[in-house]
Amino acid sequence: MFDKTLAELAAGLQKGEFSSTELTGAWLERIKAEDSKYNSYITVTEEQAMAEARAADAAIAAGTAGPFTGLPIAHKDLFCTKGVRTSCGSKMLDNFISPYDATVVARFRQAGAVMLGKTNMDEFAMGSSNESSYYGPARNPWDPERVPGGSSGGSGVAVAARLAPAATGSDTGGSIRQPAALCGITGLKPTYGRVSRYGMVAFASSLDQGGPMAHTAEDCAMMLNVMAGFDPMDSTCLDREVPDYTATLNEPLQGLKIGLPKEYFSATLDPQIAERVHAAVAEFEKLGATVKEVSLPNTELCIPAYYIIAPAEASSNLSRFDGVRYGYRCDNPKDLEDMYKRSRGEGFGAEVKRRIMVGTYALCAGYYDAYYNKAQQIRRLIQQDFIRVLEEVDVIMGPTTPHPAFRIGEKSNDPVSMYMEDIYTLSLNLAGLPGMSVPCGQVDGLPVGLQIIGNYFAEAKLLNVAHRFQQATDWHKQAPAGI
Amino acid sequence: MSLDRSDVERIAHLARLQIDENDIPAYTENLSSILNLVDQMQQADTENVAPLANPLDAVQRLRADDVTETDQREQLQSVAPAVEEGLFLVPKVIE
């Protein structure tokens, strides 16, 4: 049962092979027995899950079930869940019981999904390793001494270790795609504005986007069907038609034009990863695709531009955590300023404080043009690179990450070397484009991700491309040893 | 770009963050290396390039000027650290 995809579990529920109560109970038992090894959950919502499963079984019996009814999933702990702690991986929100549901959570509830719990993450989604979590790092099931990636590390681990059939994530600079790659699962970051950000704790508002993490592209399509669509509560959510993402999964790839950016295969890339990515591309050629080299000349500028824009927006967004309305408040403040400073100083971890300070500095009077404005100009250069290339090819492919999962602690004292791991993922957030990571091989027993990038609102095409690849290969079916 | 101790203290004050005395050297070093990284931006020629704030150049939607919020004060204040008679309590501000 634990190796089944969402699509297979949905079929089993429909045929009556098992009930949602049985399914949910089995997953909860497994979490209880196994998660101490991986630390993928911050909160397990057992009672609520069983109640939702019973309601799903009643809907199935009454014939009112939809395609998602009764399927258990986990939510990244930055999606607000009414009545359930939403910690964002931070001491600041350790005591925060959300008074409302994020739109993504509400849509899954509406669709009849069962929430197993809330997954571990880098604090306020700031990190590429899950090590900045107040609740300790989630561990990569392929090697528990290694990081699962981040920031949606807990979601990546929960799916890879078969502790949830699928999970939600959020991606500000690679936070869905990077852990998907390092954990050997499939993840999709949609076009900016495709999925509502309402109730998703804000990190960098012009970059943040929620999306699905699962074993297969087909499962991601099922989830995106639930998640995508207009929401009046998010002023940047776009009012555009949502296709049925499962309907076009099997379209043939004959004539698909693939671009390989030469900048993505430079010296910083582990040659073994390059080899796996080229092997995956060769698989697409067998499926009828053509391949050409393309150029994204401003690729390297994405790191400095991102590490101004994201901290600048974060410093502004995180000013709401002041110890007044919700979250942590220090003991015995001597005055208002002392309360602000100590609540924030004690409530935030080191990486969050670093980014708030970088952002504060960049937005200081006199520095705005040199930093934020310059970064936003570079952002347009990066976008123009993609627009030009996507006029010539249908999809861009490359590695998701330059290396496989690194060891816990290896980069935690060197933020800049950690930031370099995001080289292939950041630019999509800056440009607002959709991208996926799909398992495409292993290096020394650790998973490797193939990144597939498409044009604005081309999620259906990306899912189609990934699905056909998964019909032809079985990398997405590999499980870590002992699982 | 290299920061010194007083820069870090000033930035921390602007951001209303209390930083432990012993941690200031590490923050100074980390922030300086991050600023060195972002200084790579300065090599890029961005003359006449319009800044990109929204990837799809979308603008804010307008809506009818109607009251749409419901009164959720009690529910929203249930998670506040200190509340009295519908007000958030903070340390005394005016002497």
Side-chain angles (χ1 to χ4, degrees), chain A residues 296-368:
Chain A
L296 298 166
N298 291 295
T299 295
E300 281 193 3
L301 288 171
C302 75
I303 295 180
Y306 178 88
Y307 280 98
I308 286 297
I309 293 168
E313 295 185 6
S315 75
S316 165
N317 270 327
L318 272 63
S319 65
R320 73 190 63 179
F321 300 103
D322 54 8
V324 176
R325 290 153 301 157
Y326 40 75
Y328 177 78
R329 178 187 283 198
C330 66
D331 288 334
N332 307 315
K334 64 177 196 285
D335 55 28
L336 192 63
E337 184 169 297
D338 182 53
M339 187 186 81
Y340 291 151
K341 285 187 170 175
R342 281 203 291 124
S343 297
R344 291 164 62 77
E346 294 164 17
F348 292 136
E351 179 62 14
V352 172
K353 281 187 262 201
R354 273 197 284 272
R355 296 206 195 185
I356 289 174
M357 287 196 278
V358 169
T360 301
Y361 182 78
L363 293 175
C364 276
Y367 295 145
Y368 184 87

Side-chain angles (χ1 to χ4, degrees), chain A residues 439-457:
Chain A
C440 73
Q442 292 176 7
V443 168
D444 302 329
L446 297 170
V448 173
L450 169 75
Q451 185 171 222
I452 312 172
I453 302 164
N455 221 326
Y456 295 105
F457 298 100

Side-chain angles (χ1 to χ4, degrees), chain A residues 369-387:
Chain A
D369 280 342
Y371 288 114
Y372 194 71
N373 204 52
K374 183 85 180 177
Q376 297 279 62
Q377 289 175 309
I378 289 172
R379 193 172 178 184
R380 189 173 298 278
L381 295 179
I382 288 166
Q383 181 197 38
Q384 285 169 347
D385 282 355
F386 279 113
I387 289 176

Side-chain angles (χ1 to χ4, degrees), chain A residues 97 99 230 234 237-238 323-325 329 341 344-345 350 354 357 361 370 373-374 376-377 379-380 383 415 431, chain B residues 1 11 13 15-16 18 27 30 41-42 44 46 49-52 55-57 60-61 75 79-81 89 91:
Chain A
I97 309 296
F230 179 63
D234 171 3
C237 190
L238 293 160
V324 176
R325 290 153 301 157
R329 178 187 283 198
K341 285 187 170 175
R344 291 164 62 77
R354 273 197 284 272
M357 287 196 278
Y361 182 78
N373 204 52
K374 183 85 180 177
Q376 297 279 62
Q377 289 175 309
R379 193 172 178 184
R380 189 173 298 278
Q383 181 197 38
Chain B
M1 187 73 213
I11 299 165
H13 169 70
R16 298 296 184 270
Q18 166 139 315
Y27 279 107
N30 284 328
M41 288 196 306
Q42 305 309 331
T46 52
V49 177
L52 178 75
L56 295 151
D57 290 314
Q60 294 284 301
R61 279 192 309 277
Q75 199 186 347
V79 289
L89 299 187

Side-chain angles (χ1 to χ4, degrees), chain A residues 167-184:
Chain A
T168 54
S170 71
D171 192 312
T172 303
S175 285
I176 287 174
R177 291 160 287 153
Q178 190 246 14
L182 270 40
C183 292

Side-chain angles (χ1 to χ4, degrees), chain A residues 468-481:
Chain A
R468 295 300 299 221
F469 180 72
Q470 293 182 334
Q471 299 298 101
T473 60
D474 62 1
W475 295 113
H476 60 291
K477 291 183 181 160
Q478 308 291 320

Side-chain angles (χ1 to χ4, degrees), chain A residues 128-149:
Chain A
S128 314
S129 68
N130 212 120
E131 290 165 286
S132 75
S133 170
Y134 174 60
Y135 304 91
R139 292 175 176 276
N140 193 320
W142 294 87
D143 176 354
E145 297 307 311
R146 289 176 190 269
V147 304

